[in-house]
């Protein structure tokens, strides 16, 4: 009976995370850029406020297996529901120098083919404050008949900002308000949405002639400073006035040099002059200096309106416009009436015939037309008339009318357009009127277009029978990857989707570019019907693996189906949701990484026997290769291997290739990075070494005077102050990072730098905060540890403090805390009396329970464990099943 139980126990499979390891995508958006206004819980913040010109960084944190694919989209705001594409299909969205137009709601869509996609969003609010614009307007009105006049001045201040700006008006250095001065009125015009404030000076008084300042502020949001603009009001303040040196319409010949002067006739303060061109910018080579505009060697493309604008922020800008016309002609065209298509295929003798000629010219009305017949000027008569500006034709068109067409009217007619006396080449168009030839009834005539010109009339086109539309075939699949175990049959099918004619006339199969029949080692059979062609392989072998092409024709064209037949295993699927895959100990400068994966479609081919693992440090050439044997792998089974002896803080390229009896399968690769876990009291040993740029989720306090700095011996400033600060981190290696405060200028006595931990949910009564500190220098200030309670608001309490020079050595402190609810810990460095006061911290640990009574030796070396064998399953069912068998034995 005991033997039977042992045999049954040996047959019990290990408990494995099978199909359950495949999970739908889940997403969360966090921001890692230069956010300036956020909620206290900056991890789950849904509104991200950022200053214009800063860098936006949004990260979509993903879970799910296989690894979800990410796509970022954006709406312009609540008023629009249309997505605007961003050039991002990565987990991190980064926008350098963000503009105000890039604000709106951003969506992260993650999907992996399991379940429904995950969609999360965050609203990005871009803050900005432009320079204000101040304009002055004056009005004069009669009061009580003609006894006196009242002069009122309006100072209008406008600014673009987000959030809406606050306005302050000042006369000199005195702030103005309604209550202090009855002669002023401050109001916001209708429909300006907080962007404008008007200062009204009623019945102007002598003291009102002064300097006025409009100061705008967004209350230092995102660190945006206030801005201001000043205007001095005098009794000579007046709007600008202008006069041009030329007529408003200026006609010139191509190649001439053009100069236009804009003369100031008034304005105080002195107006600024500016030239512009519409449409488009000023011509290449044009020079606008003061009020003078010069255009050398003007061309037809330089025609257009040139605007001279004078502004001094008083009244409305003064504007004068010159319409520059550069003589030119193009697009000579003609028309024949009657229309041969609409009315008749032939023009009969005895009918009236009208030939019309037109060119596009500048200026259009100055064009003259001349008509020639057979190279000589056409003579006007009762039957040959020349008219201009026919109301039924485009403007400025010349027409030659032939009344009662005679045989003597046959010939070549030429219309010539020109600018008399101008160096502009003439344009001409000719029409040949001749007798009909070959098979036409009656004595008709035919109009022929000269190949040298265009035409805006119609041509007669002979009737063409409508034939059925034919086109080459379209097939599927265009390309297909076919996987099958060795010795199993495979059926390849190439299907006709559409084509005209809709049938397969012929189908040709090729293997590795060679026409079938296949070699004798492969048994194959090919068949075809009207809509598909098939090829059957009785058994997949190494020799029959390769590319198969099926070329399908429908007598109009051909299309090809491509099949890649193989017994190779699919690539592994790396598992990215491993909790805290990095295991490290800073004193040994090594770390290990828990690599997990599943095998894609393991039952599609022969069983996977082993994996080939190659590990290469980035920017290095040496590669370490290991073989990982496995037992039968099932779909969804999570495999694991621990990579040991990796160097902190380097990253590595991992390549993983499955092997079956067929040989090597598809390789998968990924990059692993050294990361330190975000501190969590739920971890039994959670030490932050500051080796990762994310510094374990710590953040700089926004309310302090300066920031903590992350550095190591390699990144230290070579000109740093001597006799203060640590030479290396606690490990003594140059690569190791630590956090420190730099107390050199511009720091002053009492300045504080605060480093704030993530928010912890208190799940124990007591916690112990352990860390190493370095306080060396004759000007050392203080290092404080504070606990910020989150029960009701934010309340900071001192838990530990140390001041003064403690020597050039790392020392360890253990601080007990007993938070009553959610909390954060804060390291506060306070600057002493001088620049020799750098303070550093390293290796911060937060644990549940009480602190140790003895201080740990800071130089104690902890040896990292070696690599472990790959683990496929854990025998979690052995215990329950053993109890069940023992019960049966009894």
């Amino acid at each position: 009976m005991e033997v039977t139980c042992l045999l049954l126990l040996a047959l019990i499979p290990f408990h494995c995370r099978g199909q359950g390891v495949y999970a739908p995508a889940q997403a969360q958006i966090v921001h890692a850029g230069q956010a300036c206004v956020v909620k206290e819980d900056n991890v789950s913040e849904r509104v991200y406020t950022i200053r214009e010109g800063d860098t936006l960084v949004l990260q979509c944190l993903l879970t799910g297996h296989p690894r979800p694919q990410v796509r970022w989209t954006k709406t312009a705001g609540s008023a629009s529901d249309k997505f605007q594409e961003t050039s991002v299909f990565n987990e991190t969205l980064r926008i350098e120098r963000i503009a105000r137009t890039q604000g709106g709601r951003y969506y992260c869509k993650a999907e992996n083919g399991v379940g429904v996609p995950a969609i999360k969003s965050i609203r990005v609010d871009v803050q900005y404050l432009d320079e204000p614009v101040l304009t002055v307007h004056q009005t004069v009105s009669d009061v009580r008949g003609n006894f006196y006049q009242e002069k009122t001045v309006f100072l209008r201040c406008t600014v673009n900002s987000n959030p809406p700006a606050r306005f302050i008006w000042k006369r000199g250095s005195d702030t103005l308000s309604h209550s202090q001065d009855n002669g002023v009125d401050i109001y916001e015009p209708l429909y300006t949405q907080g962007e404008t404030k008007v200062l009204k000076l009623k019945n102007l008084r002598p003291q009102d002639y002064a300097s006025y300042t409009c100061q705008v502020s967004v209350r230092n949001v995102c660190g945006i400073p206030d801005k201001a603009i000043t205007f001095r009001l005098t009794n000579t303040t007046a709007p600008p006035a202008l006069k041009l040196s030329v007529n408003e319409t200026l006609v010139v010949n191509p190649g001439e040099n053009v100069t236009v002067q804009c003369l100031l006739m008034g304005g105080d303060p002195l107006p600024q002059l500016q030239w512009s061109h519409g449409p488009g910018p000023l011509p290449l080579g044009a020079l606008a200096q003061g009020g003078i505009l010069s255009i050398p060697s003007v061309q037809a493309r330089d025609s257009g309106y040139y605007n001279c604008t004078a502004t001094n922020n008083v009244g409305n800008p003064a504007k004068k416009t010159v319409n520059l016309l550069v003589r030119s002609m193009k697009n000579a065209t003609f028309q024949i009436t009657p229309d041969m298509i609409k009315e008749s295929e032939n023009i009969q003798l005895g009918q009236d015939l009208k030939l019309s000629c037109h060119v596009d010219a500048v200026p259009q009305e100055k064009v003259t037309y001349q008509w020639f017949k057979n190279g000589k000027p056409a003579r006007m008569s009762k039957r040959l008339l020349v008219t201009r500006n026919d109301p039924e034709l485009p403007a400025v068109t010349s027409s030659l009318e032939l009344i009662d067409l005679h045989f003597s009217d046959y010939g070549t007619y030429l219309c010539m357009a020109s600018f008399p006396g101008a160096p502009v080449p003439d344009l001409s168009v000719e029409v040949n009127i001749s007798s009909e030839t070959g098979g036409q009834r009656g004595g008709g005539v035919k109009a022929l277009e000269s190949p040298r010109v265009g035409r805006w009339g119609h041509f007669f086109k002979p009737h063409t029978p409508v034939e059925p539309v034919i086109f080459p075939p379209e097939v599927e699949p265009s390309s297909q990857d076919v996987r099958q175990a060795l010795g199993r049959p495979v059926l390849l099918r190439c299907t006709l989707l559409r084509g005209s004619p809709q049938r397969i006339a012929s189908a040709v199969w090729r293997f590795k570019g060679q026409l079938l029949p296949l070699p004798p080692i492969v048994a194959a059979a090919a068949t075809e019907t009207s809509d598909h062609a098939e090829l059957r392989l009785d058994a997949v072998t190494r020799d029959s693996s390769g590319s198969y092409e099926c070329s399908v024709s429908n007598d109009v064209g051909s299309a090809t189906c491509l099949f890649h037949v193989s017994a190779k295993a699919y690539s592994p699927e790396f598992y990215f949701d491993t909790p805290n895959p990095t295991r490290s100990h800073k004193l040994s400068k090594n770390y290990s990484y828990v690599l997990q994966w599943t095998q894609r479609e393991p039952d599609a081919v022969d069983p996977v026997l082993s994996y080939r693992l190659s590990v290469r440090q980035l920017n290095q050439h040496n590669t370490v290769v290991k073989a990982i044997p496995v037992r039968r792998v099932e779909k969804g089974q999570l495999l694991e291997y621990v990579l040991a002896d990796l160097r902190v803080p380097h990253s590595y390229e991992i390549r993983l290739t499955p092997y079956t009896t067929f040989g090597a399968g598809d390789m998968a690769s990924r990059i692993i990075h050294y990361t330190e876990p975000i501190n969590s009291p739920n971890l039994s040993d959670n030490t932050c070494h500051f080796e990762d740029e994310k510094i374990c989720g710590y953040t700089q306090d926004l309310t302090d005077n300066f920031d903590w700095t992350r550095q190591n011996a390699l990144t230290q400033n070579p000109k740093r102050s001597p006799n203060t600060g640590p030479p290396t981190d606690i490990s003594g290696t140059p690569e190791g990072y630590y956090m420190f405060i730099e107390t050199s200028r511009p720091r002053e006595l009492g300045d504080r730098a605060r480093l704030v931990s993530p928010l912890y949910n208190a799940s124990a009564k007591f916690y112990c905060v352990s860390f190493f500190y370095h306080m060396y220098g004759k000007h050392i200030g203080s290092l404080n540890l504070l606990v910020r309670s989150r029960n009701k608001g934010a309340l900071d309490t001192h838990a530990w403090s140390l001041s003064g020079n403690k020597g050039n050595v790392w020392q360890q402190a253990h601080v007990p805390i007993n938070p009553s609810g959610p909390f954060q810990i804060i390291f506060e460095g306070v600057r002493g009396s001088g620049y020799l006061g750098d303070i550093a911290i390293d290796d911060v640990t937060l644990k549940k329970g009480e602190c140790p009574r003895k201080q740990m030796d800071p130089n104690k070396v902890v040896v990292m464990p070696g690599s472990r064998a790959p683990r496929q399953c854990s025998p979690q069912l052995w215990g329950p099943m053993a109890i069940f068998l023992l019960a049966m034995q009894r």
Side-chain angles (χ1 to χ4, degrees):
M1 187 62 177
E2 293 179 357
V3 175
T4 304
C5 291
L6 291 175
L7 290 174
L8 288 174
L9 189 60
L11 294 175
I12 297 173
F14 289 114
H15 172 66
C16 303
R17 286 168 283 182
Q19 298 291 337
V21 76
Y22 286 102
Q26 295 186 6
Q28 179 188 9
I29 297 177
V30 297
H31 46 72
Q34 298 170 316
C36 50
V37 178
V38 296
K39 295 180 182 178
E40 293 294 336
D41 184 6
N42 63 354
V43 173
S44 61
E45 174 59 50
R46 297 298 93 200
V47 179
Y48 182 8
T49 304
I50 186 172
R51 179 173 176 172
E52 185 175 44
D54 286 348
T55 299
L56 169 71
V57 181
L58 298 177
Q59 187 175 8
C60 195
L61 301 181
L62 303 174
T63 60
H65 187 70
R67 184 66 168 173
Q69 299 296 312
V70 174
R71 180 185 182 190
W72 286 93
T73 52
K74 170 185 173 291
T75 57
S78 59
S80 173
D81 58 357
K82 295 182 178 179
F83 283 126
Q84 298 175 351
E85 291 293 338
T86 60
S87 56
V88 172
F89 285 85
N90 300 318
E91 296 174 17
T92 301
L93 170 66
R94 183 181 183 91
I95 301 178
E96 303 281 353
R97 297 181 295 278
I98 190 170
R100 64 192 64 177
T101 55
Q102 293 174 302
R105 185 163 292 278
Y106 285 80
Y107 294 83
C108 164
K109 180 179 181 181
E111 54 186 337
N112 63 352
V114 181
V116 297
I119 300 178
K120 296 293 181 180
S121 68
I122 187 171
R123 183 166 62 86
V124 175
D125 193 14
V126 181
Q127 311 281 279
Y128 57 91
L129 178 64
D130 290 346
E131 295 291 339
V133 176
L134 196 157
T135 56
V136 180
H137 302 269
Q138 305 179 76
T139 61
V140 178
S141 60
D142 291 333
V143 178
R144 298 178 185 177
N146 295 322
F147 287 101
Y148 68 91
Q149 289 183 324
E150 181 182 87
K151 188 174 184 180
T152 302
V153 173
F154 299 87
L155 286 84
R156 183 185 183 98
C157 185
T158 302
V159 69
N160 294 319
S161 68
N162 182 36
R166 178 180 62 185
F167 292 80
I168 298 176
W169 280 101
K170 294 182 179 181
R171 179 192 290 130
S173 59
D174 299 329
T175 301
L176 295 174
S177 65
H178 303 279
S179 58
Q180 296 177 354
D181 191 338
N182 293 329
V184 303
D185 189 13
I186 300 175
Y187 64 92
E188 178 181 322
L190 294 175
Y191 311 115
T192 58
Q193 299 179 350
E195 298 174 349
T196 302
K197 272 289 193 297
V198 173
L199 172 64
K200 179 181 179 181
L201 305 177
K202 301 177 289 186
N203 191 17
L204 206 63
R205 305 161 298 184
Q207 64 264 33
D208 292 331
Y209 293 111
S211 294
Y212 292 87
T213 299
C214 172
Q215 180 177 324
V216 292
S217 170
V218 289
R219 296 162 289 282
N220 202 39
V221 63
C222 291
I224 300 176
D226 296 350
K227 296 183 179 180
I229 186 171
T230 300
F231 182 87
R232 180 166 183 79
L233 181 66
T234 68
N235 57 3
T236 60
T237 299
L242 288 177
K243 185 176 76 172
L244 288 175
S245 63
V246 298
N247 295 329
E248 292 184 354
T249 301
L250 180 61
V251 181
V252 297
N253 292 320
E256 292 182 358
N257 297 326
V258 176
T259 300
V260 181
Q261 187 173 6
C262 191
L263 304 174
L264 274 174
M265 304 302 295
D268 183 27
L270 183 66
Q272 299 293 320
L273 294 175
Q274 184 176 10
W275 281 96
S276 61
H277 178 225
L282 291 174
L284 188 64
L287 178 63
Q289 191 170 7
I292 300 176
L293 173 66
S294 301
I295 307 176
S297 186
V298 71
Q299 301 298 319
R301 60 178 177 273
D302 300 331
S303 295
Y305 291 94
Y306 290 81
N307 306 307
C308 176
T309 305
T311 57
N312 66 349
N313 293 336
V314 179
N316 295 321
K319 183 177 179 180
K320 291 293 183 179
T321 300
V322 177
N323 184 12
L324 179 64
L325 302 177
V326 182
R327 292 185 178 93
S328 64
M329 288 190 299
K330 61 180 180 179
N331 299 334
T333 54
F334 75 91
Q335 178 175 322
I336 302 175
T337 307
D339 191 301
M340 291 181 294
I341 292 180
K342 291 183 178 180
E343 301 185 15
S344 173
E345 295 183 5
N346 301 308
I347 298 175
Q348 303 293 332
L349 291 174
Q351 289 184 335
D352 295 343
L353 185 66
K354 181 165 65 174
L355 309 178
S356 301
C357 173
H358 174 81
V359 295
D360 297 330
V362 177
Q364 189 73 57
E365 66 276 3
K366 300 298 182 179
V367 177
T368 62
Y369 294 93
Q370 287 181 285
W371 284 92
F372 296 86
K373 177 184 178 182
N374 297 329
K376 297 180 180 180
R379 295 181 180 181
M380 303 300 102
S381 65
K382 293 182 178 180
R383 291 193 314 103
L384 195 151
L385 305 177
V386 175
T387 59
R388 185 179 174 93
N389 294 334
D390 189 325
E392 297 180 357
L393 299 173
V396 192
T397 300
S398 179
S399 298
L400 185 146
E401 297 187 50
L402 298 173
I403 310 299
D404 186 19
L405 187 65
H406 289 185
F407 184 83
S408 59
D409 296 326
Y410 294 163
T412 299
Y413 291 82
L414 183 141
C415 171
M416 179 179 293
S418 62
F419 279 124
V424 178
D426 299 338
L427 282 184
S428 62
V429 58
E430 66 179 25
V431 183
N432 186 30
I433 306 298
S434 63
S435 61
E436 279 286 312
T437 58
Q440 298 291 339
R441 293 178 297 168
V445 296
K446 188 175 184 181
L448 301 176
E449 180 186 9
S450 169
R452 298 182 287 114
V453 297
R455 181 183 179 190
W456 38 270
H458 296 283
F459 283 110
F460 168 74
K461 295 183 179 180
H463 173 72
T464 302
V466 177
E467 297 182 357
V469 177
I470 58 176
F471 55 90
E474 296 181 23
V475 296
E476 72 170 5
S478 58
S479 180
Q480 183 178 1
D481 188 16
V482 180
R483 303 290 176 104
Q484 186 59 278
L486 291 174
R488 295 181 185 176
V490 166
L491 180 65
L492 309 179
R493 170 178 287 193
C494 184
T495 302
L496 176 66
L497 293 179
R498 62 187 62 87
S500 181
Q502 180 78 19
R503 62 180 178 80
I504 295 179
S506 63
V508 177
W509 287 90
R510 289 180 174 85
F511 173 60
K512 295 182 179 179
Q514 301 296 320
L515 285 173
L516 290 177
L518 297 173
I521 56 175
V522 179
T527 61
E528 63 183 73
T529 65
S530 60
D531 63 347
H532 69 271
E534 291 182 348
L535 177 67
R536 178 180 176 83
L537 304 179
D538 290 339
V540 175
T541 65
R542 289 184 176 82
D543 293 327
S544 65
S545 297
S547 298
Y548 290 83
E549 296 179 21
C550 179
S551 181
V552 171
S553 172
N554 68 346
D555 292 334
V556 177
S558 62
T560 301
C561 294
L562 182 60
F563 302 92
H564 303 279
V565 178
S566 173
K568 290 199 308 181
Y570 286 103
S571 61
E573 302 166 315
F574 285 111
Y575 189 70
F576 289 85
D577 297 337
T578 306
N580 300 309
T582 304
R583 306 282 191 269
S584 65
H585 195 287
K586 191 169 184 179
L587 297 181
S588 67
K589 298 308 294 180
N590 287 344
Y591 74 96
S592 60
Y593 193 92
V594 180
L595 186 69
Q596 293 182 314
W597 70 93
T598 59
Q599 178 60 40
R600 179 186 170 195
E601 301 296 340
D603 297 329
V605 295
D606 297 294
V608 176
L609 303 176
S610 65
Y611 287 90
R612 182 180 185 269
L613 174 69
S614 64
V615 182
R616 181 183 65 86
Q617 181 180 321
L618 294 187
N619 302 321
Q620 299 291 328
H621 298 290
N622 296 333
T623 300
V624 177
V625 178
K626 298 181 180 179
I628 307 175
V630 293
R631 293 174 299 205
R632 180 171 180 83
V633 178
E634 298 179 358
K635 183 178 177 63
Q637 181 180 345
L638 192 60
L639 306 176
E640 180 178 300
Y641 186 80
V642 178
L643 303 168
D645 299 326
L646 306 177
R647 295 292 294 169
V648 174
H650 298 294
S651 300
Y652 292 83
E653 181 189 36
I654 307 299
R655 294 186 177 186
L656 193 62
T657 307
Y659 276 78
T660 64
T661 54
F662 177 81
D666 292 339
M667 181 268 295
S669 66
R670 63 170 293 192
I671 304 296
I672 63 171
H673 304 278
Y674 173 75
T675 57
E676 295 184 318
I678 293 179
N679 279 269
S680 169
N682 297 323
L683 298 178
S684 59
D685 184 4
N686 185 18
T687 301
C688 180
H689 306 299
F690 302 112
E691 298 298 331
D692 189 355
E693 292 181 356
K694 297 179 181 179
I695 56 175
C696 311
Y698 281 78
T699 57
Q700 307 283 356
D701 196 335
L702 299 178
T703 63
D704 56 9
N705 305 110
F706 65 111
D707 289 342
W708 287 78
T709 302
R710 173 179 172 267
Q711 76 169 19
N712 60 15
L714 301 177
T715 60
Q716 288 178 353
N717 187 347
K719 298 181 180 180
R720 69 187 182 94
S721 303
N723 301 319
T724 187
T728 65
D729 70 337
I730 183 62
S731 70
T733 59
E735 298 88 1
Y737 282 88
Y738 56 89
M739 302 295 292
F740 88 109
I741 60 169
E742 171 60 68
T743 57
S744 300
R745 274 197 266 174
R747 303 276 68 85
E748 297 179 353
L749 175 65
D751 281 358
R752 299 173 184 268
R754 287 185 163 193
L755 191 65
V756 185
S757 76
L759 183 66
Y760 305 124
N761 293 317
S763 58
K765 185 175 181 180
F766 297 102
Y767 289 90
C768 182
V769 182
S770 300
F771 59 93
F772 286 89
Y773 61 87
H774 191 283
M775 301 174 67
Y776 171 56
K778 66 179 181 178
H779 299 144
I780 289 291
S782 301
L783 175 62
N784 303 319
L785 178 68
L786 298 88
V787 178
R788 176 172 292 174
S789 175
R790 291 291 183 179
N791 275 340
K792 296 180 180 179
L795 178 62
D796 297 346
T797 57
H798 277 78
W800 178 90
S801 182
L802 194 64
S803 301
N805 184 1
K806 302 304 176 185
N808 189 12
V809 63
W810 284 99
Q811 302 183 60
Q812 190 174 31
H814 302 286
V815 182
I817 61 174
N818 56 343
S820 58
F823 68 98
Q824 294 169 287
I825 59 174
I826 302 173
F827 288 95
E828 181 183 67
V830 183
R831 202 255 194 186
S833 59
Y835 64 91
L836 298 178
D838 295 352
I839 299 174
I841 60 173
D842 201 359
D843 285 18
V844 179
T845 303
L846 179 65
K847 290 184 179 181
K848 293 180 182 179
E850 297 182 352
C851 291
R853 295 184 180 180
K854 279 190 172 185
Q855 296 285 321
M856 293 180 62
D857 182 2
N859 298 317
K860 183 178 180 180
V861 177
V862 180
V863 179
M864 291 296 295
S867 176
R868 291 178 289 165
R871 188 175 67 230
Q872 291 178 257
C873 313
S874 56
Q876 299 178 17
L877 288 181
W878 285 12
M881 185 60 71
I883 295 174
F884 172 73
L885 292 176
L886 289 175
M888 288 182 61
Q889 183 178 8
R890 292 182 180 180

